[in-house]
Amino acid sequence: MIPITALSDYLKTYEPRKIIGRRFLIRSSVAIVLVDNPSVDKISMLMIRRAIRKGDPWSGDMGFPGGRFSTKKDKNIYKTGIRELYEETGVAIEDGLENIGRLSDLLTKAHEKMAPMIITPFIFKINKTPDLKKNYEVEELIWIPLSYFFNQQNRATMEVRKGKFKWSFPSYIYDRKCIWGLSLSMIDELRDINDHILNGTNIRRKRFVPPKLQGF
C-alpha cells in the first residue's frame, strides 16, 4: 500500500469527475480524514456511525463526516466539509488538518424530498491522531485501517429487503459494521488511485459526466 505522501503527490494532478450542472443542484460534501500513525495501524481513515434518529434514511449507517451546504454558514462546498467535520467529530483545521485533494462527485437524492443532490468528497491528512468529540448526530467514531478496504478478501455482500423485493449490494463488514453505498463508492475510488500509483499508470476518463443517480 502507498504512503500518504505518494497519495498527496498524485492528487495534485488528479482530475476527479465533476457532474455537469452541479452548481444548480442541492450540494453537500464529506471529509475523508487519513492519519499515518503506527498506533492506529499505519494509514487509517476516520468514519462515523450515524446516530439512530427517526426520519433519517441513513440512521445508524456507517459513513464519513459531512452534510448539506448552507448559504448562511459556508462560503463554498469545501467549507461545508470542514464545518461538518468539526461539528460531528471535533476535528478542526487548527489540529493540523491538511487538504490533499478531492474525489469525484456523486449524485444521490436529498432525503427529505425527491430532488437530486451532489456529494463532493474532500480528502485530508493529519499527522497525529486528534482528540475526537462526537455530537448528537453521531453514535460512534471509528478509525479503520485503509488496508482493510484494499484487501478484496474483505469484500462482502449485503441484502436490503423492502416488502417482497430484495436487492444485493457490495459491502465491507468491519467489526460487525457494514460499509456500503456512497461511502463504498468513495473508498473504491481511493483503492483505484492506490492501484494506479503502485502500477505507475494514470486514470484516463472523462472529467465532466452527465448526472447518474447512485445509492438509495
Side-chain angles (χ1 to χ4, degrees), residues 90-109:
V91 179
I93 289 290
E94 292 76 16
D95 293 319
L97 201 66
E98 179 186 349
N99 175 234
I100 60 174
R102 50 157 290 182
L103 298 178
S104 299
D105 290 336
L106 295 171
L107 181 66
T108 186
K109 66 179 181 68

Side-chain angles (χ1 to χ4, degrees), residues 35-184:
V35 63
D36 192 356
N37 190 324
S39 67
V40 289
D41 190 4
K42 300 280 185 177
I43 302 177
S44 288
M45 179 168 58
L46 180 61
M47 298 196 75
I48 66 173
R49 184 162 69 87
R50 304 194 68 82
I52 296 175
R53 296 192 297 167
K54 187 177 180 180
D56 183 355
W58 296 294
S59 177
D61 278 2
M62 292 288 292
F64 296 107
R68 187 79 59 84
F69 171 77
S70 169
T71 55
K72 295 181 179 179
K73 299 178 182 179
D74 307 321
K75 291 183 179 179
N76 51 51
I77 197 65
Y78 168 74
K79 293 293 186 181
T80 303
I82 293 176
R83 174 179 58 79
E84 289 283 348
L85 174 65
Y86 177 71
E87 289 176 0
E88 295 182 353
T89 72
V91 179
I93 289 290
E94 292 76 16
D95 293 319
L97 201 66
E98 179 186 349
N99 175 234
I100 60 174
R102 50 157 290 182
L103 298 178
S104 299
D105 290 336
L106 295 171
L107 181 66
T108 186
K109 66 179 181 68
H111 63 79
E112 78 282 6
K113 55 185 177 181
M114 290 298 294
M117 180 173 69
I118 302 290
I119 300 178
T120 303
F122 292 95
I123 307 175
F124 299 87
K125 71 174 182 178
I126 196 166
N127 293 326
K128 63 178 182 179
T129 308
D131 294 329
L132 301 176
K133 184 179 180 181
K134 64 182 182 180
N135 71 355
Y136 69 95
E137 298 176 272
V138 178
E139 180 68 25
E140 192 174 0
L141 297 164
I142 308 156
W143 289 104
I144 302 179
L146 202 54
S147 58
Y148 182 84
F149 298 111
F150 293 175
N151 184 346
Q152 284 299 102
Q153 292 183 352
N154 293 327
R155 197 79 163 196
T157 300
M158 67 165 289
E159 291 186 350
V160 176
R161 294 178 179 270
K162 285 193 174 183
K164 298 179 180 180
F165 299 98
K166 181 178 71 173
W167 297 269
S168 295
F169 296 95
S171 66
Y172 287 98
I173 307 296
Y174 181 83
D175 192 22
R176 295 183 294 179
K177 299 173 180 66
C178 184
I179 298 103
W180 70 294
L182 294 167
S183 297
L184 182 61

